[in-house]
Each structure stands twice: as C-alpha cells, then as structure tokens.
Amino acid sequence: MSIITRDTDTLTIAGAVERLMRDGMPFRFEAYDGSSAGPEDADITVRLRTERGLAYLMTAPGDLGFGRAFVAGDLEIEGVSLANPYDLMTLVQSRLRLKVPGPAELLQIVRSLGLSNLKPPPPPPEEHLPRWRRVVEGMRHSKARDAEAIHHHYDVSNRFYELVLGPSMTYTCAVFPTEDATLEQAQFEKYDLVCRKLGLGPGDRLLDVGCGWGGMVRHAAEHYGVKALGVTLSEQQAQWAQQAIKDQGLDHLAEVQFSDYRDVSESDFDAVSSIGLMEHIGVRNYPDYFAFLQGRLRVGGRMLNHCITRRDGSLSPKAGAFIDRYVFPDGELAPVGTIVSAMHDHGLEVRHVEDIREHYALTLQGWSQNLEEHWDEALGEVSLGIAKVWGLYMAGSRLAFERNEIGLHQVLGVKVGPDGDAHMPLRPTWGS
C-alpha cells in the first residue's frame, strides 16, 4: 500500500511511484524522504537518493531519466552488480507495468513530487548532445559528425576495451560453434565464417570497412594469406590495430588506416566486409553506402554485411533516448528486408542471408562477465559513470536480443558481371 502523509492530497515519493504501477511494485523502492514501497524481502532494492534524481525521472520519464539518475549516482540499485544489472532488466521487462493516470491523479502526483522538479537538471557529463543540438555540428552522418559520434563511444580507452572484449578485441557479434564455446573461440569462428562466405584465398584483396581494432584484417591475413586493408574512424583503434599487426608479423599483408570508408580510393577488391558499421551510417544513406562499396569490388567480388537489425519495419530506425545519448549517437537500425533491397538495388545480388540473433545475446553475456570480473581495473580507465553506462546498456541489449526485439543478420552479396556470371558455386561451400 502507498505511504501517504497526513495530508491525504499529498503523496510521498514512494506513494507516488507506486500509484503508477499497474500490477504493483516488482522490487523494493526507497526514497530520500524516508518513504518506501514494494516487498520488504525483495531481492532487488532501487533507492532514490536525491532530489536531483527525482528531477531526472520527472523531466525525462523512461529510459533516459532512469539512465541519467543511475549514471549520476542519484539512483542506486542494491542486489545486482553495477557491471551486469541483467537481473534487474529482466525483472523490469517481465513484471513492471506502468499505467497512465487520469488528469486529476496526474496533477496530484506532480504536485506531491514538487513542481520545481519539472525543471531539468544538467545531464551527467557522460551524456552526448541531443539530436537537435548535434545539427549545429553538421548534417547527420556527414563525415565530421560521424567522426564525432564514433569518437564519443570508441575513443574511450583501449585498455578498457581489452578488459571488456577480451584478447580478440572484437566489438561485434561472435558466432558460437557450440553452446559451451568460449568467447574467444566464438570470435575466431565469426571471422573465419566471414572469410569462408567471402571465398577468400591467398593473394586476394580484402577491404574491411569500420574495421575496429583490425580483427578481421588480421584473421584474413594470418589464416587465408589475404592482403587486407581496414579503415576506421577511431584513431585509438587504428593505432592499436597497427601495433597488433606489427606484433603478429603481418605488416606485409595487413594495414589499418584512420579514415572514413568514403575516402577509400582503391578499387578492384576481391571482397568487402562490413562488420558492425552499418548501424552508424543512417538508413537514408544505405543506397550511397552500397553503391560506393559495390564500386570498390571487381566483377565477381563478394560483400558481406554484418549488422544489428530491427524486428520489423513498423518501428522507428532511431535508437532509444538512452542509447542515443550515452552509447551510439545517431545510431539507426532497419529490418533485414530493407538491407536486402538496398543491396539488390545498388549492384549486389544477394546470395545468402543468415540471422544469428541468439549469438549476440551470448556475446553480450560474455562481455558483461568480463566487465564484472575486471570492474576495479576498468574504473582505473574510465569514470564510474561510463562503466555504469556499459553495464546497463550491455545487459539491456542482451535482453533485447533474447526477446527478439532486435536481430543480427549477415547478408552476402556478389557483383555480377554483364554476362550474368556471378562467379559463385552452385551451393554454399562455407559450412555452418
């Protein structure tokens, strides 16, 4: 039951929050005014510590307000790991149901919580500019604005990424050959599967766009004898990748450049791989993206596009407010059908499509475990706020993949010659 003060027209914070719960409070809730609600023996306690946290929740209801209060330390969660709040996310998704109060009840709740809290406090320093403010920086997905968006997320600390991603330094969905495979085995299998789908062999030339820390170019060079060029908009990634290439003795075959993929002037590549880039380019730019990469291929060359996808086309391509402000500014997702159509319409015949959605849930589980195991060292590399962002977003993303809210598709296309020869085998040769 809600805790109500002697003035029956005024609710405590816990009472007001409980009023919004359609099926009751699924966890223990405690507020700085001394009020509480929810089961006393709950495994998880959510604690609102400050008035600023209340203002965050009131001025940005939903994931953004919660994220702000959590990242700033105004909202504490007891009973789950900061590095891996998966249990809380699962509980919220499965049991928390909000109701829409009528005008009179809503007014009572707002008055009880304080009209002064409808003034937004400054956001935490970890938050990126809102979309309307980014317009000042340039048109969405211009080269300058894309570079800033990539810098926001990827130029954090290479050591931090080593702790989270593990030795492979691979920040994309792995492919688990078996359920008990390690994360490193699964990342090896992902790169190898891409190489096999692209039909790579000694002497072939590969362009890997959005190459990250060079995992794909290093794998293709080392295991397939390929001459590989990778490009990334993250300067820290490029520096790390070039050192790794040198350490592995692959200088004669592999190279990673700090560059926009649109600035690649070379052509006649045997293959192009795009692993985790398309989420950053914008749906309206798909035609130019595929036309440009098709133009880098020789006739008979293959392209493998690997990216996160929307479940269906009825949903907005834009990321949610929390993800957009804290994780992937300007990120957009589309259904796989949109991707297939764009490839077909711009010179690439689609020959194979594969959904590996469940594999991304397993990948995120591994990254979350890594962050949890290396939490103290991670805090030596990034702020507590950034570490919290990572814990929250990876746990939430894992749940989204498990619940089929988003997917991960690999789409293989080929540049067919004027005679109709696709230079492809009659049946797939790459196995599982």
Side-chain angles (χ1 to χ4, degrees), residues 165-230:
L165 305 180
S168 74
M169 280 296 274
T170 299
Y171 190 24
T172 47
C173 176
V175 174
F176 288 76
T178 60
E179 290 187 5
D180 60 350
T182 67
L183 182 58
E184 291 307 304
Q185 290 170 334
Q187 292 293 11
F188 182 98
E189 174 60 21
K190 184 268 299 296
Y191 286 133
D192 211 67
L193 178 61
V194 173
C195 287
R196 299 194 307 266
K197 285 183 175 181
L198 290 173
L200 295 178
D204 284 345
R205 297 174 63 238
L206 167 70
L207 171 63
D208 185 44
V209 293
C211 68
W213 291 269
M216 179 63 193
V217 298
R218 289 183 285 120
H219 186 99
E222 180 179 3
H223 298 284
Y224 286 83
V226 169
K227 187 171 180 58
L229 170 64

Side-chain angles (χ1 to χ4, degrees), residues 151-301:
H151 169 74
H152 174 81
H153 187 68
Y154 292 95
D155 288 341
V156 176
S157 159
N158 280 333
R159 179 56 185 158
F160 176 76
Y161 278 102
E162 289 174 351
L163 296 171
V164 175
L165 305 180
S168 74
M169 280 296 274
T170 299
Y171 190 24
T172 47
C173 176
V175 174
F176 288 76
T178 60
E179 290 187 5
D180 60 350
T182 67
L183 182 58
E184 291 307 304
Q185 290 170 334
Q187 292 293 11
F188 182 98
E189 174 60 21
K190 184 268 299 296
Y191 286 133
D192 211 67
L193 178 61
V194 173
C195 287
R196 299 194 307 266
K197 285 183 175 181
L198 290 173
L200 295 178
D204 284 345
R205 297 174 63 238
L206 167 70
L207 171 63
D208 185 44
V209 293
C211 68
W213 291 269
M216 179 63 193
V217 298
R218 289 183 285 120
H219 186 99
E222 180 179 3
H223 298 284
Y224 286 83
V226 169
K227 187 171 180 58
L229 170 64
V231 293
T232 173
L233 274 176
S234 167
E235 188 170 10
Q236 288 191 25
Q237 286 182 338
Q239 291 172 350
W240 191 100
Q242 277 299 105
Q243 186 60 51
I245 287 169
K246 182 178 180 180
D247 292 344
Q248 291 180 245
L250 298 172
D251 312 58
H252 61 299
L253 290 174
E255 179 186 3
V256 167
Q257 296 177 355
F258 171 45
S259 171
D260 192 295
Y261 78 91
R262 290 165 286 194
D263 291 330
V264 174
S265 59
E266 298 177 50
S267 59
D268 290 325
F269 286 94
D270 298 285
V272 172
S273 54
S274 175
I275 306 175
L277 170 64
M278 201 171 188
E279 297 91 335
H280 300 288
I281 70 168
V283 175
R284 70 177 184 180
N285 296 318
Y286 285 6
D288 290 341
Y289 165 80
F290 283 117
F292 180 85
L293 295 178
Q294 185 270 155
R296 307 276 76 74
L297 285 169
R298 65 166 175 80
V299 171

Side-chain angles (χ1 to χ4, degrees), residues 295-355:
R296 307 276 76 74
L297 285 169
R298 65 166 175 80
V299 171
R302 304 181 195 180
M303 178 184 176
L304 188 288
N305 194 83
H306 166 124
C307 70
I308 302 172
T309 52
R310 283 277 183 233
R311 183 185 62 213
D312 60 64
S314 66
L315 303 172
S316 169
K318 296 179 182 178
F322 175 75
I323 294 294
D324 182 66
R325 300 284 187 92
Y326 285 89
V327 187
F328 297 119
D330 290 342
E332 293 183 356
L333 305 177
V336 65
T338 301
I339 296 169
V340 169
S341 294
M343 290 183 77
H344 260 298
D345 291 346
H346 295 87
L348 292 163
E349 183 180 61
V350 172
R351 304 299 295 237
H352 190 267
V353 179
E354 182 176 6
D355 187 353

Side-chain angles (χ1 to χ4, degrees), residues 49 85 112 122 124 128 151 166 194 318 338 354 360 363 374 380 417 432:
R49 298 180 59 248
S112 298
H128 198 59
H151 169 74
V194 173
K318 296 179 182 178
T338 301
E354 182 176 6
Y360 218 155
T363 304
H374 299 288
S432 59

Side-chain angles (χ1 to χ4, degrees), residues 57-117:
L57 296 174
M58 290 181 65
T59 56
D63 64 339
L64 181 58
F66 176 88
R68 285 172 171 169
F70 177 68
V71 170
D74 299 316
L75 194 69
E76 293 181 343
I77 304 171
E78 185 179 296
V80 297
S81 166
L82 290 177
N84 188 11
Y86 175 77
D87 290 341
L88 173 66
M89 303 298 290
T90 303
L91 181 65
V92 168
Q93 287 280 0
S94 61
R95 292 184 52 193
L96 191 148
R97 299 288 184 272
L98 298 178
K99 68 176 182 180
V100 179
E105 185 178 12
L106 179 60
L107 180 60
Q108 180 195 15
I109 291 173
V110 171
R111 283 178 171 172
S112 298
L113 296 177
L115 294 175
S116 62
N117 290 315

